[in-house]
Amino acid sequence: MSGAPLQHLPSGVGLLGIAGYEADTARVQRAVQFFEQRGHAVTLAPADSARHLRFAGTDAVRLAALQQLLDDPNIGLIMALRGGYGMSRLLEQIDFAAIGAAVKAGRKRFVGHSDFTAFQLALLARTGAVSFAGPMASYDFGGHGSQHQLSSYTVEHFDALMNGCEHVVEFAAAGPALQAEGQLWGGNLALVCSLLGTPWMPQIRGGILFLEDIGEQPYRIERMLLQLHHSGVLAQQQAVLLGDFAQQQPSAYDNGYDFAAVVDYLRQRVSVPILTGLPFGHCPDKLTLPVGGQARVTHAAGRCRLELSRPA
């Protein structure tokens, strides 16, 4: 797909193996080709495919890969290769001050989702710098399904946030009528909960919280949402936007207790408006969202208008 996703940045793209190991090297190559066809030089870090346990290298190797991309003045966009697990092991050793300075100076942008949520929220908590919850190189730009299809929706909205400081999107949603405005933050539900009580959890009041997850049973989703409720996080928000919660597997024992039942129960327990239908998460078609940027949400009659803005 044609397009130029980087503006006012160094043109190089760094694909960062910071979490899980990518076993499908063909997906990696398709992601590399996606950016190369747009005229960008691509750097893979780590450069080799050495695997340590379930990770894309030892902790030291993955930290060195992050530092390599941060130090390279020719690289403007750093995108997580894939998710999995691994970022939580590194948080204490990352120089967020240096990363925040590079982001605020317009030298770097960071994009990813899933396990990368830990990096994004830590960066926001420690520096206030904005990153982007959006596609990952292998997972998204490597293509989905047996035909390796690349989502034009994902590419369109990725380009919109990379090329402009403001973006408006509309989508079908469910929940109460709503008008709200605040700082946008969130990501993967399990990772958000894992940061509660740590120095890497942002303290956002009056925000717009977005959440998604994959492979979690409805009762686990409810338990994590209640954790955010009991800790006071939900009550401090203007609204909660729920994205895709993929690969749920309710059993016969659940007796109809599904994701919809979880949402209905939460709406009875919390005063903050909860909307479902946000096109974001472990799904082929996803928005790119500025973590730490601003959002205005308007919902009525099953349609949601989301106005996004990021720093220049």
XYZ file of all heavy atoms in Angstrom, residues 211-265:
439
model
N -9.253 0.112 26.677
C -8.782 -1.198 27.110
C -9.099 -2.261 26.075
O -10.126 -2.194 25.389
C -9.428 -1.576 28.446
C -9.141 -0.659 29.639
C -10.107 -0.968 30.778
C -7.701 -0.791 30.100
N -8.228 -3.253 25.987
C -8.439 -4.424 25.139
C -7.682 -5.592 25.756
O -6.851 -5.406 26.648
C -7.947 -4.166 23.710
C -6.459 -3.854 23.583
C -5.543 -5.085 23.552
O -6.000 -6.163 23.136
O -4.367 -4.952 23.952
N -7.946 -6.811 25.256
C -7.168 -7.963 25.698
C -7.445 -9.145 24.775
O -8.335 -9.084 23.910
C -7.462 -8.333 27.152
C -6.215 -8.771 27.892
O -5.415 -9.532 27.298
O -6.015 -8.352 29.041
N -6.691 -10.208 24.975
C -6.837 -11.399 24.149
C -6.677 -12.643 25.014
O -5.866 -12.675 25.947
C -5.791 -11.416 23.001
C -6.008 -12.621 22.078
C -4.370 -11.389 23.553
C -5.165 -12.587 20.820
N -7.494 -13.652 24.736
C -7.350 -14.942 25.383
C -7.732 -14.975 26.841
O -7.324 -15.887 27.571
N -8.516 -13.998 27.291
C -8.935 -13.966 28.687
C -10.400 -14.388 28.808
O -11.248 -13.905 28.072
C -8.764 -12.562 29.276
C -7.333 -12.044 29.291
C -6.487 -12.695 30.373
O -6.979 -13.609 31.072
O -5.314 -12.288 30.511
N -10.689 -15.266 29.742
C -12.064 -15.678 30.007
C -12.864 -14.496 30.560
O -12.296 -13.598 31.207
C -12.073 -16.814 31.025
C -11.421 -18.092 30.555
C -12.369 -18.940 29.718
O -13.131 -18.428 28.908
N -12.332 -20.244 29.908
N -14.178 -14.475 30.341
C -14.984 -13.368 30.860
C -14.775 -13.107 32.351
O -14.709 -11.947 32.771
C -16.418 -13.818 30.554
C -16.277 -14.641 29.315
C -14.984 -15.378 29.481
N -14.652 -14.140 33.167
C -14.494 -13.893 34.605
C -13.162 -13.220 34.901
O -13.051 -12.418 35.843
C -14.645 -15.194 35.406
C -13.442 -16.112 35.407
C -12.448 -15.994 36.379
C -13.304 -17.108 34.444
C -11.352 -16.832 36.386
C -12.217 -17.958 34.439
C -11.238 -17.809 35.404
O -10.155 -18.647 35.397
N -12.135 -13.511 34.104
C -10.836 -12.863 34.312
C -10.896 -11.394 33.877
O -10.289 -10.524 34.518
C -9.747 -13.611 33.544
C -9.459 -15.000 34.093
C -8.484 -15.753 33.209
N -7.198 -15.063 33.130
C -6.184 -15.270 33.962
N -6.314 -16.132 34.962
N -5.046 -14.628 33.812
N -11.617 -11.138 32.787
C -11.805 -9.751 32.347
C -12.528 -8.963 33.431
O -12.135 -7.851 33.784
C -12.584 -9.713 31.021
C -11.764 -10.370 29.903
C -12.950 -8.273 30.644
C -12.542 -10.584 28.611
N -13.594 -9.560 33.975
C -14.344 -8.876 35.039
C -13.473 -8.644 36.261
O -13.500 -7.562 36.865
C -15.578 -9.687 35.421
C -16.392 -9.015 36.513
C -17.633 -9.797 36.874
O -18.523 -9.929 36.006
O -17.704 -10.277 38.024
N -12.688 -9.622 36.627
C -11.839 -9.484 37.812
C -10.845 -8.338 37.642
O -10.612 -7.563 38.579
C -11.104 -10.798 38.070
C -10.271 -10.798 39.338
C -9.874 -12.211 39.724
N -9.065 -12.849 38.695
C -8.863 -14.173 38.628
N -9.438 -14.977 39.490
N -8.103 -14.669 37.678
N -10.282 -8.205 36.442
C -9.330 -7.117 36.208
C -10.029 -5.762 36.167
O -9.507 -4.768 36.686
C -8.535 -7.379 34.928
C -7.518 -8.502 35.084
S -6.452 -8.737 33.637
C -7.560 -9.598 32.511
N -11.185 -5.709 35.563
C -11.938 -4.456 35.554
C -12.343 -4.052 36.970
O -12.316 -2.864 37.332
C -13.160 -4.579 34.652
C -12.867 -4.644 33.149
C -14.130 -5.012 32.380
C -12.312 -3.315 32.638
N -12.716 -5.034 37.787
C -13.039 -4.730 39.181
C -11.806 -4.267 39.949
O -11.905 -3.429 40.847
C -13.652 -5.956 39.861
C -15.119 -6.249 39.516
C -15.560 -7.560 40.136
C -16.021 -5.104 39.971
N -10.647 -4.804 39.589
C -9.421 -4.333 40.218
C -9.208 -2.850 39.928
O -8.839 -2.073 40.820
C -8.222 -5.145 39.724
C -6.918 -4.809 40.428
C -5.752 -5.651 39.931
O -5.894 -6.426 38.982
N -4.602 -5.510 40.563
N -9.452 -2.438 38.684
C -9.347 -1.018 38.343
C -10.416 -0.198 39.072
O -10.175 0.947 39.464
C -9.472 -0.832 36.832
C -8.328 -1.396 35.988
C -8.615 -1.183 34.501
C -6.994 -0.761 36.365
N -11.581 -0.790 39.261
C -12.649 -0.128 40.003
C -12.279 0.016 41.476
O -12.348 1.111 42.055
C -13.946 -0.915 39.848
C -15.040 -0.516 40.782
N -15.484 0.786 40.905
C -15.787 -1.258 41.653
C -16.462 0.839 41.802
N -16.650 -0.382 42.275
N -11.856 -1.078 42.100
C -11.561 -1.057 43.529
C -10.360 -0.157 43.855
O -10.280 0.395 44.960
C -11.287 -2.475 44.030
C -12.478 -3.367 43.965
N -12.385 -4.735 43.785
C -13.807 -3.095 44.035
C -13.603 -5.258 43.760
N -14.475 -4.286 43.911
N -9.452 -0.026 42.906
C -8.273 0.815 43.131
C -8.575 2.289 42.916
O -7.716 3.137 43.176
C -7.140 0.383 42.200
O -7.491 0.631 40.848
N -9.763 2.599 42.426
C -10.159 3.981 42.220
C -9.842 4.531 40.846
O -10.164 5.689 40.550
N -9.244 3.727 39.981
C -8.850 4.216 38.657
C -10.068 4.570 37.813
O -10.123 5.637 37.185
C -7.976 3.169 37.935
C -7.762 3.564 36.470
C -6.635 3.024 38.641
N -11.064 3.697 37.784
C -12.221 3.939 36.914
C -12.968 5.206 37.329
O -13.398 5.994 36.474
C -13.164 2.737 36.932
C -12.619 1.428 36.357
C -13.737 0.385 36.270
C -11.969 1.618 34.993
N -13.129 5.414 38.613
C -13.898 6.559 39.089
C -13.241 7.887 38.716
O -13.915 8.927 38.692
C -14.073 6.477 40.605
N -11.960 7.870 38.415
C -11.239 9.092 38.075
C -11.326 9.437 36.585
O -10.814 10.475 36.168
C -9.764 8.954 38.476
C -9.562 8.832 39.977
C -8.117 8.546 40.334
O -7.269 8.369 39.474
N -7.830 8.511 41.631
N -11.976 8.573 35.782
C -12.009 8.776 34.336
C -13.328 9.414 33.886
O -14.364 9.268 34.537
C -11.814 7.442 33.610
C -10.609 6.650 34.077
C -9.330 7.459 34.124
O -8.986 8.151 33.157
N -8.614 7.402 35.246
N -13.268 10.091 32.741
C -14.467 10.633 32.107
C -15.248 9.545 31.380
O -16.470 9.602 31.295
C -14.084 11.731 31.104
C -13.461 12.962 31.738
C -14.456 13.741 32.573
O -15.595 13.936 32.166
N -14.029 14.171 33.744
N -14.528 8.560 30.836
C -15.181 7.484 30.093
C -14.204 6.330 29.947
O -12.979 6.512 30.023
C -15.632 7.967 28.710
N -14.758 5.136 29.730
C -13.971 3.943 29.435
C -14.423 3.407 28.085
O -15.623 3.178 27.863
C -14.150 2.865 30.520
C -13.403 1.591 30.139
C -13.679 3.377 31.877
N -13.468 3.221 27.174
C -13.741 2.681 25.846
C -13.174 1.270 25.776
O -11.959 1.073 25.931
C -13.098 3.558 24.760
C -13.394 5.059 24.808
C -12.724 5.762 23.629
C -14.891 5.323 24.814
N -14.038 0.296 25.561
C -13.608 -1.098 25.478
C -13.464 -1.492 24.018
O -14.386 -1.326 23.216
C -14.605 -2.017 26.181
C -14.788 -1.764 27.685
C -15.775 -2.767 28.267
C -13.452 -1.839 28.429
N -12.290 -2.004 23.682
C -12.001 -2.443 22.332
C -12.272 -3.920 22.147
O -13.204 -4.483 22.736
N -11.420 -4.578 21.381
C -11.607 -5.982 21.048
C -11.093 -6.866 22.192
O -9.985 -6.648 22.692
C -10.851 -6.309 19.759
C -11.230 -7.663 19.212
O -12.380 -7.820 18.764
O -10.382 -8.574 19.233
N -11.890 -7.832 22.595
C -11.481 -8.823 23.588
C -11.562 -10.184 22.910
O -12.556 -10.909 23.011
C -12.353 -8.745 24.843
C -11.997 -7.580 25.723
C -12.416 -6.297 25.395
C -11.231 -7.748 26.857
C -12.080 -5.206 26.187
C -10.883 -6.663 27.658
C -11.307 -5.387 27.316
N -10.498 -10.513 22.202
C -10.489 -11.655 21.294
C -10.243 -12.964 22.025
O -9.695 -12.998 23.127
C -9.405 -11.453 20.230
N -10.660 -14.038 21.380
C -10.374 -15.417 21.785
C -10.866 -15.733 23.188
O -10.185 -16.402 23.972
C -8.867 -15.707 21.662
C -8.357 -15.590 20.244
C -6.889 -15.901 20.104
O -6.281 -16.524 20.990
N -6.291 -15.502 18.990
N -12.061 -15.263 23.508
C -12.711 -15.701 24.740
C -13.295 -17.097 24.501
O -13.754 -17.398 23.410
C -13.833 -14.751 25.120
C -13.409 -13.316 25.346
C -14.620 -12.419 25.517
O -15.541 -12.726 26.238
N -14.621 -11.296 24.812
N -13.265 -17.904 25.526
C -13.788 -19.269 25.390
C -14.664 -19.632 26.590
O -14.301 -20.472 27.411
C -12.635 -20.264 25.243
C -11.810 -20.056 23.983
C -10.663 -21.030 23.869
O -10.137 -21.535 24.858
N -10.264 -21.325 22.646
N -15.845 -18.997 26.696
C -16.750 -19.382 27.785
C -17.129 -20.862 27.668
O -17.303 -21.393 26.564
C -17.968 -18.474 27.568
C -17.450 -17.332 26.745
C -16.391 -17.919 25.869
N -17.248 -21.521 28.790
C -17.598 -22.940 28.811
C -19.062 -23.120 29.191
O -19.765 -22.160 29.522
C -16.713 -23.660 29.830
O -17.026 -23.221 31.145
N -19.507 -24.368 29.140
C -20.876 -24.662 29.552
C -21.100 -24.261 31.004
O -22.200 -23.857 31.388
C -21.158 -26.152 29.366
N -20.046 -24.353 31.802
C -20.151 -23.977 33.211
C -20.490 -22.497 33.375
O -21.132 -22.108 34.358
C -18.841 -24.303 33.923
C -18.871 -24.062 35.416
C -19.394 -25.031 36.279
C -18.391 -22.877 35.961
C -19.438 -24.812 37.648
C -18.428 -22.648 37.324
C -18.958 -23.625 38.164
O -19.005 -23.404 39.524
N -20.069 -21.660 32.429
C -20.338 -20.224 32.519
C -21.827 -19.917 32.403
O -22.276 -18.859 32.853
C -19.560 -19.469 31.442
C -18.081 -19.384 31.764
O -17.741 -18.808 32.807
O -17.263 -19.898 30.979
N -22.576 -20.799 31.757
C -24.041 -20.689 31.766
C -24.532 -19.330 31.265
O -25.377 -18.676 31.884
C -24.575 -20.958 33.182
C -26.079 -21.154 33.206
O -26.665 -21.664 32.248
N -26.720 -20.747 34.291
N -23.956 -18.873 30.145
C -24.369 -17.600 29.572
C -23.604 -16.397 30.067
O -23.849 -15.270 29.632
N -22.690 -16.632 31.018
C -21.859 -15.544 31.551
C -20.762 -15.245 30.532
O -19.756 -15.946 30.456
C -21.281 -15.972 32.885
C -20.275 -15.021 33.506
C -20.673 -13.781 34.002
C -18.941 -15.390 33.613
C -19.746 -12.925 34.581
C -18.014 -14.543 34.203
C -18.426 -13.316 34.678
O -17.507 -12.476 35.253
N -20.977 -14.211 29.726
C -20.071 -13.872 28.644
C -19.609 -12.424 28.775
O -19.861 -11.768 29.803
C -20.727 -14.118 27.281
C -22.043 -13.351 27.121
O -22.352 -12.474 27.968
O -22.770 -13.628 26.139
N -18.935 -11.926 27.764
C -18.405 -10.570 27.826
C -19.511 -9.542 27.997
O -19.369 -8.574 28.750
C -17.586 -10.283 26.564
C -16.969 -8.910 26.545
C -15.933 -8.579 27.407
C -17.431 -7.943 25.665
C -15.367 -7.315 27.395
C -16.865 -6.676 25.645
C -15.835 -6.354 26.511
N -20.628 -9.755 27.315
C -21.751 -8.832 27.452
C -22.261 -8.797 28.887
O -22.614 -7.725 29.411
C -22.877 -9.226 26.500
N -22.293 -9.963 29.547
C -22.722 -10.012 30.951
C -21.743 -9.263 31.851
O -22.150 -8.594 32.809
C -22.861 -11.465 31.399
N -20.457 -9.355 31.532
C -19.445 -8.628 32.301
C -19.673 -7.123 32.187
O -19.674 -6.389 33.187
C -18.032 -8.994 31.801
C -16.987 -8.055 32.402
C -17.710 -10.437 32.135
N -19.894 -6.657 30.962
C -20.090 -5.224 30.744
C -21.358 -4.743 31.443
O -21.367 -3.683 32.086
C -20.132 -4.908 29.241
C -20.462 -3.439 29.005
C -18.791 -5.250 28.589
N -22.431 -5.525 31.341
C -23.682 -5.154 32.009
C -23.473 -5.023 33.521
O -23.975 -4.089 34.153
C -24.759 -6.203 31.730
C -25.292 -6.113 30.309
O -25.059 -5.085 29.641
O -25.928 -7.086 29.856
N -22.743 -5.967 34.100
C -22.489 -5.938 35.541
C -21.663 -4.716 35.922
O -21.968 -4.028 36.912
C -21.765 -7.222 35.951
C -21.350 -7.251 37.398
C -22.294 -7.395 38.415
C -20.011 -7.129 37.748
C -21.914 -7.418 39.748
C -19.625 -7.147 39.085
C -20.579 -7.288 40.074
O -20.197 -7.312 41.386
